[in-house]
Amino acid sequence: MALRKIRTIGDEILTKKCREVTEMKPRIKELIADMLDTMYDEQGVGLAAPQVGVLKQVVVIDVTEEGNNPIILINPQIIEMSGEQKGQEGCLSVPNRAGIVTRANYVKVKALNENMEEIIVEGEELLARALQHEIDHLSGILYVSKAEGELFDTTQE
Ligand code: NI
């Protein structure tokens, strides 16, 4: 298990566009394994490669409570979206903060899996939100630019 350091807001790398992955190399496999370890360790529902300082189009997501259903997406693209959901969103790169963001309620995503095979992932509600949030990271977009009103502090309950 290898954990990577999470870059936080203010770090320029989070604002950059990521490059496509053209070939599955050992370094990318290691990156994916480390991203999964890091996401689970931080109790996040998703993580994008730029958040660990790598400008490649790699995303991991797991919205299950058990944390036993990882989705690995390489070069993901949203090909369909519909509906609307408005809700709270946070990000491991924006610690102790959350904001209200309106997203599509359904998305269909085309991507490659860790074997570089084409896959289609469809999601609603939380999964749709996670897909949109993580794919935004690959374009250098943080949810804070889409949040309505002020962010709030999640440490004071
Ligand atoms: Ni995020």
Side-chain angles (χ1 to χ4, degrees):
M1 167 151 170
L3 302 179
R4 301 215 182 181
K5 185 175 181 286
I6 295 189
R7 306 297 186 97
T8 53
I9 189 166
D11 190 320
E12 277 232 317
I13 203 154
L14 295 172
T15 67
K16 300 212 153 92
K17 275 198 191 315
C18 293
R19 290 180 296 276
E20 279 194 3
V21 175
T22 54
E23 204 187 334
M24 185 45 62
K25 294 180 179 164
R27 273 186 64 184
I28 307 277
K29 286 206 163 138
E30 195 182 329
L31 170 70
I32 292 167
D34 290 354
M35 284 172 65
L36 286 167
D37 288 345
T38 305
M39 174 181 73
Y40 288 126
D41 184 66
E42 298 279 345
Q43 297 176 333
V45 298
L47 193 65
Q51 294 183 272
V52 293
V54 179
L55 287 173
K56 290 201 185 298
Q57 293 183 24
V58 178
V59 157
V60 297
I61 290 174
D62 192 339
V63 296
T64 64
E65 260 176 54
E66 302 79 16
N68 58 8
N69 191 21
I71 300 170
I72 295 152
L73 302 172
I74 295 164
N75 307 338
Q77 281 186 306
I78 293 174
I79 55 173
E80 264 183 61
M81 58 206 310
S82 65
E84 196 177 278
Q85 58 174 318
K86 183 172 176 167
Q88 187 172 321
E89 201 163 312
C91 179
L92 294 175
S93 293
V94 190
N96 305 323
R97 293 283 183 279
I100 301 296
V101 184
T102 300
R103 299 278 191 185
N105 195 52
Y106 162 87
V107 293
K108 184 191 267 191
V109 172
K110 185 174 87 171
L112 301 174
N113 66 13
E114 66 274 37
N115 300 316
M116 299 297 273
E117 299 156 343
E118 196 173 298
I119 54 168
I120 298 286
V121 175
E122 291 177 283
E124 291 183 318
E125 297 175 8
L126 178 59
L127 178 56
R129 180 175 292 281
L131 286 163
Q132 291 165 86
H133 176 114
E134 300 308 334
I135 291 170
D136 271 354
H137 272 298
L138 304 181
S139 302
I141 297 166
L142 294 179
Y143 84 88
V144 298
S145 67
K146 298 183 168 180
E148 293 157 39
E150 296 287 306
L151 299 187
F152 37 92
D153 192 333
T154 55
T155 59
Q156 297 168 340
E157 285 296 309

